[in-house]
Amino acid sequence: MKKLIAMLLVSSISSVLFAQSQEALDLEKAIQIGLEKNLDIKIAVENITINEVNQKIGVGDFFLPQLDATYARNFSNEDVEQRFVNDPEPRTIDGAKSRTENFSIVGIYGFQPENIVVMKRLGQLTEISELDAKIAVENTVASISSAYYRLVLELQRYEVLKRTLELSQSRLDIAEAQYELGGAGKRDFLTAEVDYNSDLTLLVNQEQIINAARINLNELMALSPDTQFAVNDTITIGEPLMLMDLEENSLIDNKQLLIAQRQENVAFLQMKELQAQRLPQINLNGSYVNNTSNSDAGFLLQNQRQGLNFGGNITLNLFSGLTLNRRIQNAKVQQKVQGYALDQFEIQLRADIHRAYNTYQTNRNLLEIEKKNYEVAKENTEIALERFRLGISSYLEFRDAQVNLLTAENRLITSIFNIKEREIELMRLSGRIFFQNSYEELDLPIEE
C-alpha cells in the first residue's frame, strides 16, 4: 500500500511539472517575450525619448529668437481738472473719456558661446541614454538566458532523482522478496524502505525548486507567475571562447565602458561650457508697434504710433565675485575624477573577464572528467544492483554505488550548466550577447 501511494505521488508530481506544460518555449522565444514585455527596457527606452526631446528643444532655446506678441486695450472715464500756464482759469471736464489700443511684436535673440558646448553635451547625454537602454537589453537577455538554463538544469536534476528513485524501488522490491522468502532479515527490508522514502522526499522537494525557477523566468519575461510552458531538456555548449577576443571586444563594445567614456566627455564639456561664459554675449532685439491713444482731455486728442524698432548690445562679464572661477576649478576636478573612474572600470572589466574565463576554462576541463566519472559510476551501479539481486553483496554496497551515481550525474549536468552560465557572462561582458557591435541600432520587437 505504501509503495502504491508513493507511485501515485510521483505520478502527480510529473503531471504538475509536465502535463500542464502545453506550449513549447525555446530560449529565442523567451528572449523575444522578455524584450517585448520587460519593464526595465521600457523605462530605459522612455529615458531615451526624454533626452532626445531635450536635445531637440535645446536647439530652439539656444539658436532661435524669442518672439512675443501683445495686444492690449484700455478704457478710462474720469473727472479732470486742468490748469494751463497761459490760462489762469481752470478747465474742468466731467466724465472725460480716453482709450488706448496697443499691438506689438517683440523679438529677442541672444547668442551665448557656451550654447554650442551645451548642445554637444546634450548629444552626449542622449548617447548615454541609448547605451543605458542597450545595457538593459543585454542584462535582460543574460538574465533570461541564465534563468532559462537554470530551469532546464532543475528539470534534469528531477530526472536524475527520478531514476534514483527507480533504483531504490528496485532495491526495495528485491529486499522485500528476500525478506518474504527468508533470505534476508527485516532490517534490510526496512532500511531499503527508509532509503526509498528519503529519495522520494528529495524528488518532492525538487518540485518546489522547479516551480521557483519557473516563476523567476516568468518574472523576467513579465508573465503571470503561474504561466506554464515546456522548455528544451538539453543545454548545448558553444564553441570554445578565446580570452584575447573577449578582451578586445569588451574594450570596443562593452556598453558600460562606453558610458564611462562619454561621462568623461560630459565632464570635459561642462568645463568648456563654463569657460565659454567668459566670452562676450551678443543680444539683438526688434519690435513692431502699433499704438493708438484717444483722449478727451489734454493737448492731444489722438496719438497714433506705428513702425519698427530694433537694436542690439554686447555683454561681457567682467567680475562675478570669483564664482565662475570656482565653478571652473570644480569642473576640472570632476573631469579628472571621471578619468579615474574610466580607468578603474577598465581595470575592473578586465579582471571580471579573467575571473569568468578562468571559471569557464576550468569547467570545460572538468567536463571530460565528469563524463568519464559518470560512465564509471553508472556501470558500477548496474553491477552492484545485479550483485544485490543475486544476494552476493550487502545493501550498503548497493546504496553506496547508488549515491555515487546520483552525485556523478549531478556533477556532470551542473558542470555543463556552469559552462553555459560563464558563456553568458563572458558574452555580456564583451558586449556581444545581443548586439553585434556598439553602433547597432536599438531595434526591439514590439508587443502585440
Side-chain angles (χ1 to χ4, degrees):
M1 185 65 181
K2 291 182 179 178
K3 286 163 44 177
L4 178 60
I5 295 174
M7 293 306 295
L8 290 175
L9 179 59
V10 174
S11 177
S12 66
I13 294 174
S14 300
S15 66
V16 170
L17 295 178
F18 304 109
Q20 296 178 2
S21 303
Q22 299 176 355
E23 184 179 357
L25 180 73
D26 57 17
L27 179 60
E28 183 177 354
K29 186 175 181 180
I31 291 174
Q32 182 179 4
I33 294 173
L35 295 181
E36 290 175 357
K37 296 178 175 293
N38 188 276
L39 297 181
D40 288 336
I41 295 177
K42 292 180 181 292
I43 293 172
V45 171
E46 293 303 322
N47 287 333
I48 295 177
T49 303
I50 292 174
N51 283 281
E52 287 178 344
V53 170
N54 288 339
Q55 187 177 5
K56 291 177 181 178
I57 294 178
V59 175
D61 287 343
F62 300 147
F63 300 107
L64 295 178
Q66 177 181 341
L67 293 176
D68 293 313
T70 304
Y71 176 76
R73 296 189 70 177
N74 297 302
F75 300 90
S76 66
N77 190 334
E78 301 169 328
D79 295 333
V80 179
E81 181 177 329
Q82 298 177 331
R83 294 180 180 273
F84 300 97
V85 175
N86 56 359
D87 188 359
E89 294 295 326
R91 181 185 177 188
T92 301
I93 304 175
D94 295 330
K97 298 178 181 180
S98 65
R99 65 181 184 276
T100 303
E101 185 176 14
N102 181 59
F103 172 72
S104 65
I105 297 178
V106 180
I108 301 174
Y109 175 76
F111 175 74
Q112 300 175 348
E114 65 267 22
N115 289 345
I116 298 176
V117 184
V118 172
M119 290 304 303
K120 292 180 179 180
R121 180 169 59 83
L122 291 176
Q124 290 289 301
L125 293 176
T126 301
E127 290 184 19
I128 289 175
S129 65
E130 291 174 353
L131 290 171
D132 278 330
K134 289 183 177 181
I135 288 175
V137 170
E138 290 181 338
N139 290 342
T140 299
V141 171
S143 297
I144 290 176
S145 300
S146 182
Y148 183 91
Y149 287 120
R150 170 62 69 176
L151 178 57
V152 174
L153 172 66
E154 299 305 339
L155 289 171
Q156 289 179 341
R157 285 176 173 169
Y158 177 85
E159 291 299 321
V160 171
L161 292 172
K162 190 175 179 182
R163 288 192 292 270
T164 301
L165 187 65
E166 291 172 356
L167 287 174
S168 294
Q169 180 67 61
S170 299
R171 174 192 164 198
L172 181 59
D173 293 340
I174 295 171
E176 185 178 12
Q178 290 176 345
Y179 168 66
E180 291 175 351
L181 295 174
K186 189 175 182 180
R187 179 173 177 272
D188 291 348
F189 168 65
L190 294 177
T191 302
E193 190 170 7
V194 169
D195 290 339
Y196 176 85
N197 291 334
S198 298
D199 294 337
L200 181 60
T201 300
L202 292 176
L203 191 66
V204 174
N205 288 334
Q206 186 63 20
E207 176 192 1
Q208 177 186 352
I209 296 173
I210 290 173
N211 287 332
R214 194 184 300 277
I215 291 171
N216 291 340
L217 181 56
N218 284 333
E219 180 184 8
L220 292 170
M221 296 188 296
L223 298 177
S224 173
D226 57 358
T227 302
Q228 297 291 329
F229 44 78
V231 300
N232 296 333
D233 59 353
T234 57
I235 301 177
T236 305
I237 298 175
E239 294 294 323
L241 301 174
M242 304 302 295
L243 179 59
M244 183 178 297
D245 294 338
L246 293 169
E247 281 193 284
E248 290 178 356
N249 291 337
S250 67
L251 297 177
I252 299 174
D253 295 320
N254 182 278
K255 311 305 181 296
Q256 195 64 52
L257 179 64
L258 296 176
I259 286 179
Q261 292 173 350
R262 280 155 179 76
Q263 286 174 338
E264 184 184 24
N265 293 338
V266 168
F268 171 76
L269 291 173
Q270 286 176 331
M271 181 191 66
K272 288 297 183 182
E273 178 184 340
L274 292 171
Q275 290 177 337
Q277 292 183 12
R278 289 173 170 169
L279 299 176
Q281 175 181 336
I282 301 174
N283 298 305
L284 302 176
N285 61 79
S287 64
Y288 169 78
V289 177
N290 189 335
N291 180 273
T292 301
S293 299
N294 294 279
S295 176
D296 291 342
F299 289 105
L300 295 176
L301 297 179
Q302 184 180 59
N303 184 19
Q304 186 171 7
R305 297 168 56 198
Q306 181 178 359
L308 295 172
N309 300 300
F310 53 88
N313 61 72
I314 297 177
T315 303
L316 178 64
N317 178 263
L318 298 179
F319 183 71
S320 57
L322 301 179
T323 301
L324 185 58
N325 288 344
R326 177 178 54 81
R327 294 175 63 192
I328 291 174
Q329 287 299 118
N330 290 340
K332 288 180 179 180
V333 174
Q334 185 61 34
Q335 181 192 1
K336 189 179 294 186
V337 168
Q338 290 297 333
Y340 292 151
L342 175 60
D343 294 339
Q344 178 61 35
F345 184 80
E346 186 174 336
I347 293 172
Q348 179 184 340
L349 178 60
R350 289 179 182 272
D352 289 342
I353 289 177
H354 276 261
R355 275 191 291 265
Y357 190 80
N358 286 338
T359 305
Y360 165 78
Q361 196 64 36
T362 299
N363 279 279
R364 286 194 73 98
N365 294 335
L366 288 174
L367 182 59
E368 293 302 320
I369 300 174
E370 298 297 350
K371 286 180 179 179
K372 293 178 181 179
N373 188 51
Y374 168 69
E375 294 298 330
V376 171
K378 183 179 180 183
E379 183 178 0
N380 185 45
T381 302
E382 293 172 353
I383 295 173
L385 178 60
E386 186 62 27
R387 286 170 56 85
F388 183 73
R389 182 179 289 112
L390 296 175
I392 59 177
S393 68
S394 66
Y395 72 88
L396 291 176
E397 180 181 343
F398 173 74
R399 183 62 177 175
D400 186 56
Q402 184 186 14
V403 171
N404 287 338
L405 177 62
L406 173 62
T407 303
E409 194 165 3
N410 264 326
R411 285 169 54 181
L412 175 60
I413 61 178
T414 302
S415 179
I416 295 174
F417 171 76
N418 288 339
I419 294 173
K420 197 64 185 180
E421 196 169 43
R422 291 303 92 189
E423 278 184 3
I424 294 170
E425 179 64 6
L426 287 169
M427 294 303 293
R428 186 190 70 83
L429 291 173
S430 64
R432 296 295 180 92
I433 192 170
F434 184 79
F435 301 98
Q436 293 300 313
N437 55 68
S438 59
Y439 301 101
E440 186 176 342
E441 293 293 330
L442 185 66
D443 187 15
L444 300 176
I446 300 175
E447 183 177 359
E448 297 180 358

